[in-house]
Amino acid sequence: MSAAPHQTAVSPRSEILRVENLQTEFHTSAGVVRAVRDVSFSVFPGETLGIVGESGCGKSVTMASILRLLPDTGRVVGGSVFFNGADISKYNDVRMEAIRGNLVGMIFQDPMTSLNPVYSVGEQLIEHLVKHKGITRKAARVKAVDMLAMVGIDNPSERLKSFPHQFSGGMRQRVMVAIALITDPLLLIADEPTTALDVTIQAQILELMKRLKAELETAAILITHDLGVVADTCDRVLVMYGGKIVEQGRVGDIFYRPQHPYTQGLLGSVPNPKAPVRERLVPIPGQPPDLLSPPKGCPFVPRCRYAMAVCSDHMPDSYPVADGHKSACWLQHPRAPRADRAAAGVTR
Amino acid sequence: MLRMTIRIVVSTVLTLWTIATITFVLMHSIPGSPFTRIDDEFGPMIQAMMEERYGLNDPLHVQYGRYLANLVRGDLGFSLTRPGLRANAIIARTFPPSARLGLMAIALSFTTGILLGVTAAVNQGKMADKIALFFATLGITTPNFVFATLFIYVFGVHLRWFPVMGIDTPAHYVLPLVALSIGTVAFVSRLTRSSVLDVIRQDFIRTARAKGLTRQSVLYKHVLRNAIIPVITVLGPVLATTLTGSFVIESIFAIPGLGNQLVNAVSNRDYTMIMAMTLFFSFILVLGNMLVDILYSVVDPRITLHNTNK
Amino acid sequence: MYEPDSPTIDPAAQTDDWPLPGDPTILFLPMGTDVAMLERIDRESMSFWQDSWRRLRKNKLALTGGVFVILFTLIAIFGPMLTRYNPNSQQLRLTNQGPSATHWFGTDQFGRDLFTRVVYGIRISLIVAYVSTVFSVAIGVTYGTVSAVLGGQVDNVMMRIVDIMMGIPSLLYLILLIVVLGPGLWSIIAAFALTGWLGMARMVRAEVLSLKNREFVLASRALGTRMRTIAARHLVPNALGTIIVLATLSIPGAIFAEAFLSYIGLGITAPQASLGVLASDASDTFMTFPHQLLFPALAISLIILFFNFLGDGLRDALDPKMKK
């Protein structure tokens, strides 16, 4: 199938992906976990969007919801997803399959377990290529050799016959990158692609992804909890907390002018090697909210040092701070104390 | 691959030798000579003659050496209660029906078991899963002679659907086959179910789904191929269970097979026959396990390559 | 980092609409946070056994299994008090009776009360299963621990021996052993113990080997404790979970094997009768008196079922690898 779903609802800047009011729930024995609560965002051609947050904040579930790769207990209960102009949230399984692995490539966290141990790397590289592009296995194999070479694997035509356990972790992640990009997708979703890797390998994989993304002109979503990775690779950032987007903006906005107390806290808990004096790392006290019974107001209230009476009962709107920079915090409200806005600039 | 095969063969030979030795020691630790039991029939004179003829008066190590030499030549000795008959002849006559029944039972166990297990797994928590669980529980907790007796009563005597004695026609095989495999079907289906559920949760299945493969392709190509590996490892134990199960089933359905012979030998205290048949059965099981080991390394690429890399 | 200045309200903002209920001047006052409360750990800490018990308690199937296992064990111990009949006294006028108020499960071909015989059968079968399991656990734990603690070449040789013996079909050697020892309660127990310890030895060795290099053992060794003491005080108690699970799951196997042996005529000898003997005797007369098979067979199935429930539950509760 080729990359041209019917064009509806095209926005002026023609996003690749637009998510509107996405809501996802998990039905567990303990009750309903509201993992994604009313999330909206867009991805534009060629850009890299970072999604950051602590584990359990809903960032991975958001991505799984978009492609409907949720486990059986999970269900998207609301919102729409426009991909390349078409509302794919109503697509059936067969139509979704034509998008997954074809127009959207995915890379996962743990390369040691993300490849099927009983099939050769070559088989895993070409099976979806053959399915989506309708080419012969022979042609697919030629393309697979090229792709392996592109991701930096030596002797690619031999390595095609190897099994995953014959590769190191870093090499396997390169293979995963090759699998995700072999179909020339419009969008690459990388879910913590470097978390499970050694630090030196992490840098290599990030470099590789950056280079290939530029060569193939693919848009990308990078999910991570590593702010260093975000600063290095992303154009824009969404900060998620408690199943909601609490702040979003360009990388510079988020790193130099963070508005939301949670974002400020995240940045405060990361060491900054460039700091002129040795600064103290400040952890954010407390635990993320229990999404079995999500708080009525702002999810960050119990841990927020600026919490106000209004915060615990009312979820704040997302207030524009600057062009493309928004923060979902009552401190942005005109009635709120002014302290934050004056102070935010000096945080970093 | 070669080193791996050599290792498997060496360990098989070692196991066979251990089995032969244990059998020898056990049979010679029976108080008195094997002929003591039947001295009433033959009298002390004949007993002495028999002992002389079979070399039972020689020193133990001589007997042991001769015994091993005979085994290597494939000579399993003689029957005590039927002194004219060689054990080899009895086995040659009774092995074919047993082998037929046993192989069919194993084939049935694995095909039905895997089918039921996969069905239960993909319908986890639904009606099909619960029905499969009920029958599996029944199969696992009930001794096979109870099933056999029940089947004869219901399908043989009451409904008259199937014949119940002997193995003259294909219809004769139905009841013994089902009675013999019902326990292993249950076992294999539970194992398959948990194995499939385990594989479905793996990261690489999420990868396969993220690649846009169809539901069928994910299940049959990616899940099943991995889920089958632990199921193959129980081929050895299932072979053993089927074999010992056949003792009971063959004697209930009056099948002129090897298992029936063993039960007869036990009730007649025909020590030499028991010994010969134990050795023969062990030999089959050990060879079966060897084949399973080799098959296992074919199915799971990690095994072979891991070992050749060493 | 910075401290918030004292709240200064923007006078221009006072004029906007306030859509939410409540007085906006109060709503925007800081609440302050209680850091000590945030770092509070909500769950109390639990020992391994408390934690396992909590998980076992939540597993209904395992709990049912446990209750019935205890019930069957109580029947085995106190069963004779439940009946006024002697399991072996024959009433030849009352042979092959169906179930009735006087004979709950009916009588057998010699007029013996079937309920009484089943109760005694449970007793014999459970004695065989429990005692042989205790012996095979003792042998297996000792062998496995010694092998793991000594390590090196000794461990290698000891485990090769186990490997080879694992290759020997145990049920066949059970037959051979019982033929040699002569049928009877103790030879069956001995035969089960001699064939049942292998799996236990292998599992215990693996468990002890992984424990051997853990910090608390290394600490103990650094303090100069002898390895034998360490094994008794640290290694075996920590492998107890695995041992309990294996022991529980080996009981159904013993009961099944005993029933099999009974059927081929190598079971418990008269006057004692196990469930296996009762069931195999009754299968001869099943066509005319099906109830004689029903009750002992049901007892066998239920005992195996409940031990499996309990064993599976214990495995889920005690195996840290399954822990979420």
Side-chain angles (χ1 to χ4, degrees):
Chain A
M1 198 182 137
S2 68
H6 43 273
Q7 302 282 306
T8 57
V10 184
S11 90
R13 289 173 65 189
S14 75
E15 320 86 335
I16 298 276
L17 178 75
R18 191 171 84 237
V19 175
E20 285 175 1
N21 308 96
L22 186 71
Q23 295 181 40
T24 303
E25 292 178 353
F26 284 90
H27 292 258
T28 69
S29 52
V32 177
V33 177
R34 302 191 52 203
V36 177
R37 304 187 291 147
D38 210 13
V39 162
S40 306
F41 65 92
S42 298
V43 181
F44 298 98
E47 77 166 345
T48 302
L49 176 71
I51 304 186
V52 292
E54 290 165 288
S55 34
C57 71
K59 52 193 195 298
S60 296
V61 177
T62 303
M63 289 308 116
S65 306
I66 290 169
L67 288 182
R68 276 184 278 137
L69 285 172
L70 293 165
D72 287 346
T73 50
R75 191 171 310 140
V76 178
V77 292
S80 12
V81 177
F82 293 92
F83 177 74
N84 206 22
D87 184 357
I88 61 169
S89 50
K90 309 286 183 294
Y91 274 19
N92 60 17
D93 276 355
V94 177
R95 296 184 77 180
M96 277 312 289
E97 279 158 13
I99 291 174
R100 289 183 206 134
N102 181 18
L103 306 179
V104 182
M106 277 195 93
I107 304 172
F108 299 102
Q109 176 171 349
D110 190 353
M112 303 313 271
T113 55
S114 293
L115 290 166
N116 192 330
V118 301
Y119 290 108
S120 70
V121 160
E123 175 61 28
Q124 298 185 61
L125 263 168
I126 65 167
E127 58 175 339
H128 60 305
L129 187 62
V130 170
K131 183 198 160 180
H132 294 307
K133 305 298 183 200
I135 58 176
T136 62
R137 292 180 64 87
K138 204 172 166 191
R141 210 167 283 123
V142 172
K143 170 113 187 168
V145 172
D146 288 350
M147 202 64 217
L148 277 189
M150 252 177 115
V151 297
I153 285 174
D154 293 336
N155 198 3
S157 49
E158 269 307 302
R159 292 301 257 167
L160 216 54
K161 295 173 201 135
S162 302
F163 288 92
H165 67 270
Q166 294 165 303
F167 288 84
S168 67
M171 285 294 158
R172 285 192 214 188
Q173 199 63 312
R174 285 171 191 267
V175 172
M176 281 301 292
V177 173
I179 289 175
L181 293 178
I182 197 167
T183 53
D184 289 323
L186 298 173
L187 177 66
L188 172 70
I189 299 178
D191 189 352
E192 305 263 7
T194 57
T195 308
L197 301 172
D198 291 343
V199 180
T200 48
I201 312 287
Q202 284 187 9
Q204 289 174 15
I205 296 290
L206 283 178
E207 264 328 292
L208 175 73
M209 280 173 52
K210 265 161 77 175
R211 179 168 61 78
L212 290 179
K213 203 187 89 58
E215 277 177 37
L216 303 170
E217 295 170 343
T218 308
I221 298 176
L222 180 67
I223 302 170
T224 181
H225 61 260
D226 186 340
L227 291 167
V229 170
V230 173
D232 190 34
T233 39
C234 298
D235 303 311
R236 281 195 311 124
V237 184
L238 307 180
V239 181
M240 281 189 77
Y241 187 83
K244 285 179 170 289
I245 295 174
V246 293
E247 183 162 6
Q248 54 183 303
R250 285 186 297 270
V251 167
D253 295 334
I254 299 295
F255 276 82
Y256 297 106
R257 292 170 291 281
Q259 294 301 309
H260 197 283
Y262 175 65
T263 316
Q264 292 168 2
L266 267 187
L267 289 163
S269 56
V270 179
N272 179 5
K274 288 178 192 136
V277 270
R278 293 180 68 187
E279 50 174 3
R280 284 180 79 85
L281 292 182
V282 187
I284 307 175
Q287 305 294 321
D290 184 0
L291 294 177
L292 268 173
S293 46
K296 212 166 114 198
C298 170
F300 192 57
V301 169
R303 302 169 74 184
C304 181
R305 55 196 306 204
Y306 311 114
M308 300 173 292
V310 67
C311 301
S312 46
D313 287 335
H314 306 287
M315 182 63 206
D317 290 332
S318 211
Y319 293 98
V321 179
D323 181 30
H325 184 187
K326 287 193 258 179
S327 168
C329 179
W330 281 117
L331 288 174
Q332 300 301 323
H333 192 271
R335 285 177 177 273
R338 306 280 309 213
D340 63 294
R341 274 172 280 173
V346 301
T347 312
R348 264 292 164 84
Chain B
M1 190 69 200
L2 184 69
R3 282 180 78 134
M4 167 98 174
T5 315
I6 290 173
R7 260 185 34 184
I8 292 177
V9 169
V10 166
S11 104
T12 305
V13 170
L14 220 63
T15 307
L16 287 176
W17 171 76
T18 312
I19 288 170
T21 306
I22 291 179
T23 311
F24 181 82
V25 171
L26 281 177
M27 288 335 270
H28 282 264
S29 54
I30 295 172
S33 92
F35 297 103
T36 320
R37 205 192 66 84
I38 48 170
D39 60 3
D40 293 341
E41 294 169 44
F42 296 99
M45 274 272 287
I46 294 176
Q47 188 189 333
M49 254 176 62
M50 298 280 262
E51 281 172 8
E52 183 60 39
R53 181 175 160 204
Y54 290 111
L56 296 182
N57 298 324
D58 295 340
L60 264 186
H61 66 271
V62 176
Q63 288 190 46
Y64 179 62
R66 187 166 51 222
Y67 161 82
L68 281 188
N70 283 344
L71 278 189
V72 170
R73 276 188 281 113
D75 181 357
L76 290 167
F78 56 96
S79 165
L80 200 57
T81 46
R82 287 171 289 178
L85 268 176
R86 305 296 300 173
N88 289 43
I90 297 176
I91 290 171
R93 182 164 50 78
T94 55
F95 182 56
S98 291
R100 264 200 301 279
L101 186 66
L103 288 177
M104 282 196 289
I106 287 171
L108 189 70
S109 301
F110 276 86
T111 49
T112 317
I114 290 172
L115 215 66
L116 279 179
V118 173
T119 311
V122 297
N123 294 301
Q124 190 192 4
K126 293 184 196 149
M127 207 56 203
D129 188 21
K130 285 176 182 151
I131 293 170
L133 174 67
F134 176 76
F135 282 105
T137 310
L138 210 65
I140 287 171
T141 57
T142 312
N144 54 11
F145 63 82
V146 175
F147 279 123
T149 311
L150 212 66
F151 289 166
I152 291 180
Y153 180 71
V154 176
F155 301 110
V157 177
H158 209 75
L159 299 171
R160 294 182 174 281
W161 286 358
F162 299 104
V164 294
M165 291 290 163
I167 41 162
D168 304 330
T169 67
H172 280 88
Y173 278 97
V174 175
L175 292 182
L177 197 55
V178 176
L180 185 54
S181 24
I182 197 158
T184 45
V185 166
F187 174 62
V188 170
S189 78
R190 290 331 274 170
L191 186 70
T192 307
R193 178 184 181 274
S194 68
S195 179
V196 167
L197 288 179
D198 187 51
V199 173
I200 282 180
R201 280 202 310 270
Q202 299 290 319
D203 287 347
F204 59 80
I205 296 306
R206 186 185 53 186
T207 307
R209 289 179 59 204
K211 289 202 294 190
L213 302 180
T214 60
R215 197 166 275 278
Q216 290 78 7
S217 172
V218 172
L219 178 64
Y220 293 109
K221 187 170 173 186
H222 288 269
V223 176
L224 265 193
R225 178 67 202 277
N226 280 281
I228 214 83
I229 293 171
V231 179
I232 285 177
T233 53
V234 300
L235 190 56
V238 164
L239 188 63
T241 313
T242 306
L243 215 126
T244 44
S246 73
F247 304 168
V248 170
I249 298 302
E250 285 183 10
S251 79
I252 291 181
F253 289 94
I255 293 166
L258 211 49
N260 205 350
Q261 283 293 323
L262 182 77
V263 176
N264 284 338
V266 167
S267 60
N268 298 333
R269 295 294 184 272
D270 187 339
Y271 295 121
T272 50
M273 249 338 263
I274 296 174
M275 181 168 102
M277 295 180 70
T278 309
L279 284 170
F280 182 73
F281 279 131
S282 305
F283 186 69
I284 289 181
L285 282 182
V286 170
L287 283 185
N289 279 331
M290 189 177 89
L291 287 178
V292 172
D293 275 355
I294 293 170
L295 182 65
Y296 190 51
S297 68
V298 170
V299 176
D300 189 346
R302 283 163 295 187
I303 305 265
T304 334
L305 296 154
H306 179 72
N307 279 295
T308 42
N309 285 349
K310 262 191 192 165
Chain C
M1 297 303 289
Y2 70 103
E3 290 302 319
D5 302 331
S6 56
T8 50
I9 306 293
D10 183 353
Q14 303 283 354
T15 52
D16 68 343
D17 292 336
W18 178 244
L20 300 171
D23 179 356
T25 48
I26 298 173
L27 282 172
F28 281 92
L29 290 179
M31 293 199 300
T33 48
D34 181 354
V35 174
M37 206 193 82
L38 290 173
E39 292 299 301
R40 191 192 60 206
I41 292 164
D42 284 331
R43 294 189 192 166
E44 49 193 299
S45 66
M46 274 193 270
S47 77
F48 171 71
W49 295 106
Q50 281 174 317
D51 192 31
S52 304
W53 169 237
R54 182 185 59 83
R55 260 177 286 149
L56 187 65
R57 228 175 23 197
K58 278 201 289 188
N59 185 339
K60 293 231 171 52
L61 227 51
L63 223 52
T64 315
V67 167
F68 278 94
V69 162
I70 292 170
L71 192 73
F72 273 108
T73 310
L74 289 178
I75 290 175
I77 298 170
F78 301 108
M81 292 177 190
L82 298 175
T83 170
R84 49 203 172 85
Y85 299 99
N86 178 311
N88 298 315
S89 68
Q90 306 183 356
Q91 293 171 281
L92 294 176
R93 285 175 296 110
L94 289 171
T95 59
N96 294 325
Q97 302 276 306
S100 66
T102 44
H103 296 285
W104 295 346
F105 292 176
T107 61
D108 70 2
Q109 53 184 338
F110 299 111
R112 296 176 292 197
D113 179 56
L114 207 56
F115 176 73
T116 310
R117 286 183 67 74
V118 168
V119 166
Y120 276 82
I122 291 172
R123 182 180 229 187
I124 298 288
S125 287
L126 283 184
I127 287 176
V128 170
Y130 279 136
V131 177
S132 63
T133 300
V134 167
F135 278 120
S136 55
V137 165
I139 302 173
V141 169
T142 313
Y143 192 97
T145 311
V146 166
S147 182
V149 167
L150 294 180
Q153 268 322 104
V154 183
D155 178 44
N156 235 337
V157 171
M158 284 178 83
M159 279 303 118
R160 282 304 293 156
I161 292 174
V162 169
D163 283 347
I164 288 173
M165 292 186 67
M166 288 278 242
I168 301 173
S170 62
L171 220 45
L172 283 171
Y173 279 80
L174 226 50
I175 295 175
L176 217 57
L177 267 172
I178 292 168
V179 166
V180 172
L181 296 171
L185 187 63
W186 285 103
S187 41
I188 287 190
I189 289 175
F192 281 3
L194 283 174
T195 49
W197 62 273
L198 292 163
M200 186 73 71
R202 204 183 247 183
M203 290 293 279
V204 170
R205 171 189 170 268
E207 192 82 355
V208 170
L209 218 51
S210 78
L211 289 167
K212 204 176 131 184
N213 294 318
R214 293 259 283 277
E215 291 80 356
F216 64 93
V217 175
L218 294 178
S220 203
R221 287 177 74 178
L223 290 172
T225 319
R226 286 192 312 165
M227 210 55 211
R228 186 187 302 182
T229 318
I230 293 176
R233 199 162 301 152
H234 294 299
L235 301 180
V236 173
N238 275 292
L240 211 56
T242 311
I243 296 168
I244 289 174
V245 172
L246 280 177
T248 310
L249 287 174
S250 81
I251 293 206
I255 290 182
F256 234 71
E258 194 275 328
F260 162 75
L261 288 175
S262 302
Y263 195 84
I264 64 170
L266 287 173
I268 307 290
T269 43
Q272 289 166 324
S274 65
L275 291 175
V277 172
L278 293 178
S280 62
D281 285 355
S283 62
D284 296 338
T285 55
F286 181 75
M287 304 299 158
T288 32
F289 310 110
H291 70 275
Q292 292 180 1
L293 176 62
L294 177 72
F295 293 109
L298 205 61
I300 292 176
S301 295
L302 289 178
I303 291 176
I304 289 172
L305 183 69
F306 291 129
F307 267 101
N308 274 328
F309 281 173
L310 178 64
D312 288 345
L314 284 173
R315 188 182 49 206
D316 293 348
L318 291 173
D319 193 340
K321 277 171 284 183
M322 299 280 293
K323 201 169 169 179
K324 283 188 184 145

